[in-house]
Amino acid sequence: MRKDMKKIYSSALLLLMGVVALTSCKDDRDSNPVISQPSEFNLNAPATASGNVDLKESNTVQLTWSQPVFNNFNAPVIPTYTVQISHVGTFAKEYDDNADDNTGADFISLPETFNTCRADVSTESIDRALMKLTGWDETQIPAALALTVRVKAAVQDASFNEYMAVNSNTVLLNTIPYYIELMPADPETWWLIGADIADGTWGSDIGKCVIPMNYVKDFEYDKKNGQGEIYWIGYLGGNGFKLRGSMEDEWKTQIGQKDEGKDNFGKFVKNNGGSKNITVPEAGLYKITLNTTKLAGIADEGDCTEAIKIEKYTEAAPVYASISIAGSWKSDWSDNIAFTPCSAGWENHDWYLLHEFDAGIEFKFKQADSWDYNSGGSFVVYSQGLYGFGVQSGDNLKIEEKGKYLILYNDITRFFRLIKQTAE
């Protein structure tokens, strides 16, 4: 849906600019369309304005508003609408999920966006946003609260940049809030990519081309931003690689080597598009450790050597010809489903498998022909699916929710990650 809307926004802007471009070459006439910045639009009082909305017991609140006029002919520009709420009645500082300090924030935008002049707003979304904004604990929830609500309208381009933003009037929504314990942020994920990683193609397919770094067991990640320590252990051949903070941001977040070549290994730079590939001095097993808390405090294009450590790994690391899962889909657990090695041309310790599970299925990681090496444990639920820290002969891993998962496994660290796949 979001990808389709990109096309709509782009088309709307192109249509509007195209009309202006065609008419600007002609004599000015009163009938020419003129782009204008709207100054206002009207948010209607909700039907529930006279009573209290119990945010826990109800599902949605319906809001309606007029369409802002972006030009004198009301050409088909499609705005994106965002509902904003304030617990104190003012809109001076917006709460920002990515900010280090939200002290003094007096309003917050709900995560859902709309493209018509009507919205059935989730009451859970309202309450969850309110918990973020206020930071209330169980003892601080008021018996009733008059929320101040407004709607922001803006035109977005294909990159979701906003133009011609305008806010509606405010209305009051009388609510009965309740306490929601907010989930901590996922640990921050960084990816390994390059000629030393997976198939070496610098492609973007997870498992086949890129490998996510592991989380550290029992590490206390920052609950707000997920920053902390992550790591990876595997084979590096000295052909070059980089770290990426996102696979969607066109290399805006990356770590590379300051100067080219294995002789210059050891100095690293952050978010510098001209940085070189990281090239270890000699082929072998390495441990890469990244402290994303330290990294966040370093300016773009700055030296980030203090945030990353790449060192030889000297502990035992057997090379397995195959890794599989076996589980309760067969009563004697004799059906082994094989993983694909991420690296086929050199020593491999990372594996991937796309598999669909029924709810209630239990399984373990193992060698295809033996139980001498096997991993079990427990799952941690996160936004993308599940992850965990395997232990030899650990508990069976149980899938609670049916679905298709991309499974990633490192046979040295025994860290596993299951990324839930969405229906196409």
Side-chain angles (χ1 to χ4, degrees):
M1 181 68 174
R2 196 168 179 85
K3 291 181 179 178
D4 292 337
M5 290 313 304
K6 285 185 180 181
K7 296 178 181 177
I8 294 173
Y9 303 144
S10 299
S11 299
L13 287 170
L14 288 171
L15 174 61
L16 189 56
M17 290 187 289
V19 170
V20 173
L22 287 173
T23 56
S24 64
C25 295
K26 301 178 182 180
D27 294 334
D28 290 338
R29 295 180 298 180
D30 293 339
S31 59
N32 286 348
V34 178
I35 300 175
S36 60
Q37 167 68 57
S39 59
E40 62 181 3
F41 67 103
N42 187 61
L43 171 63
N44 301 314
T48 56
S50 59
N52 287 330
V53 177
D54 190 324
L55 297 179
K56 187 174 184 179
E57 298 301 326
S58 55
N59 294 318
T60 60
V61 173
Q62 186 180 103
L63 297 176
T64 60
W65 54 86
S66 63
Q67 181 172 338
V69 177
F70 287 91
N71 56 80
N72 61 333
F73 281 164
N74 199 22
V77 176
I78 302 175
T80 294
Y81 299 103
T82 305
V83 177
Q84 299 176 327
I85 62 171
S86 171
H87 64 305
V88 293
T90 56
F91 293 82
K93 179 180 178 180
E94 183 172 7
Y95 180 95
D96 182 357
D97 279 320
N98 297 314
D100 292 329
D101 185 4
N102 277 297
T103 302
D106 58 357
F107 77 100
I108 188 170
S109 294
L110 303 189
E112 304 87 350
T113 58
F114 308 91
N115 297 106
T116 64
C117 296
R118 164 181 167 161
D120 291 321
V121 183
S122 164
T123 51
E124 180 182 345
S125 181
I126 294 173
D127 196 80
R128 190 173 294 279
L130 184 60
M131 293 301 108
K132 281 187 178 183
L133 179 61
T134 62
W136 287 334
D137 62 28
E138 298 98 318
T139 66
Q140 297 173 306
I141 308 300
L145 178 68
L147 282 177
T148 304
V149 182
R150 74 180 186 185
V151 174
K152 180 180 75 171
V155 176
Q156 292 184 342
D157 64 15
S159 298
F160 299 105
N161 298 309
E162 292 186 345
Y163 302 92
M164 298 185 287
V166 58
N167 297 315
S168 74
N169 58 299
T170 62
V171 298
L172 288 179
L173 180 66
N174 297 310
T175 67
I176 300 174
Y178 66 102
Y179 178 72
I180 295 179
E181 185 173 356
L182 298 176
M183 291 290 290
D186 294 339
E188 188 172 335
T189 299
W190 277 71
W191 305 82
L192 302 175
I193 183 171
D196 274 344
I197 305 301
D199 66 359
T201 63
W202 296 84
S204 59
D205 291 342
I206 299 173
K208 180 181 177 183
C209 309
V210 298
I211 301 172
M213 296 180 71
N214 301 181
Y215 304 147
V216 178
K217 188 176 183 180
D218 298 327
F219 191 96
E220 291 191 15
Y221 292 92
D222 189 294
K223 293 182 178 180
K224 183 173 65 176
N225 55 35
Q227 291 171 356
E229 189 171 286
I230 56 178
Y231 77 114
W232 173 83
I233 298 173
Y235 183 87
L236 297 173
N239 301 300
F241 70 97
K242 283 189 174 184
L243 280 69
R244 286 186 66 172
S246 169
M247 294 308 297
E248 290 82 36
D249 68 0
E250 298 182 352
W251 292 93
K252 290 180 182 177
T253 53
Q254 61 169 287
I255 295 173
Q257 192 166 293
K258 183 178 181 181
D259 297 305
E260 189 172 8
K262 64 182 181 180
D263 293 337
N264 294 308
F265 173 78
K267 290 289 186 180
F268 309 107
V269 290
K270 171 187 175 182
N271 298 345
N272 183 332
S275 65
K276 309 306 178 184
N277 298 338
I278 300 172
T279 309
V280 294
E282 58 180 331
L285 287 175
Y286 285 84
K287 180 178 181 180
I288 302 172
T289 305
L290 176 64
N291 188 309
T292 58
T293 304
K294 289 183 179 179
L295 187 69
I298 297 170
D300 285 354
E301 302 190 9
D303 186 319
C304 65
T305 305
E306 68 178 54
I308 182 172
K309 182 190 295 183
I310 303 176
E311 56 190 342
K312 274 293 195 72
Y313 183 73
T314 57
E315 298 181 30
V319 178
Y320 298 101
S322 63
I323 291 291
S324 301
I325 53 172
S328 60
W329 52 85
K330 192 165 184 179
S331 59
D332 63 358
W333 285 56
S334 63
D335 183 17
N336 294 299
I337 300 174
F339 281 72
T340 300
C342 294
S343 302
W346 50 87
E347 184 175 322
N348 178 71
H349 293 281
D350 286 282
W351 307 81
Y352 70 98
L353 169 68
L354 188 64
H355 187 70
E356 187 164 2
F357 293 98
D358 289 329
I361 286 292
E362 298 181 1
F363 73 95
K364 282 187 176 183
F365 300 91
K366 64 184 290 288
Q367 291 174 267
D369 56 354
S370 171
W371 285 93
D372 290 345
Y373 174 97
N374 72 85
S375 285
S378 60
F379 284 126
V380 178
V381 179
Y382 78 129
S383 64
Q384 289 185 307
L386 308 163
Y387 68 85
F389 309 89
V391 294
Q392 176 69 23
S393 303
D395 293 340
N396 298 340
L397 294 159
K398 185 175 181 180
I399 297 291
E400 300 290 351
E401 183 178 344
K402 178 180 179 179
K404 181 181 287 188
Y405 296 85
L406 175 63
I407 312 170
L408 303 167
Y409 182 72
N410 183 292
D411 63 35
I412 301 176
T413 67
R414 297 180 185 250
F415 180 81
F416 49 85
R417 186 191 300 262
L418 281 69
I419 302 175
K420 187 102 181 262
Q421 306 297 288
T422 55
E424 297 182 357

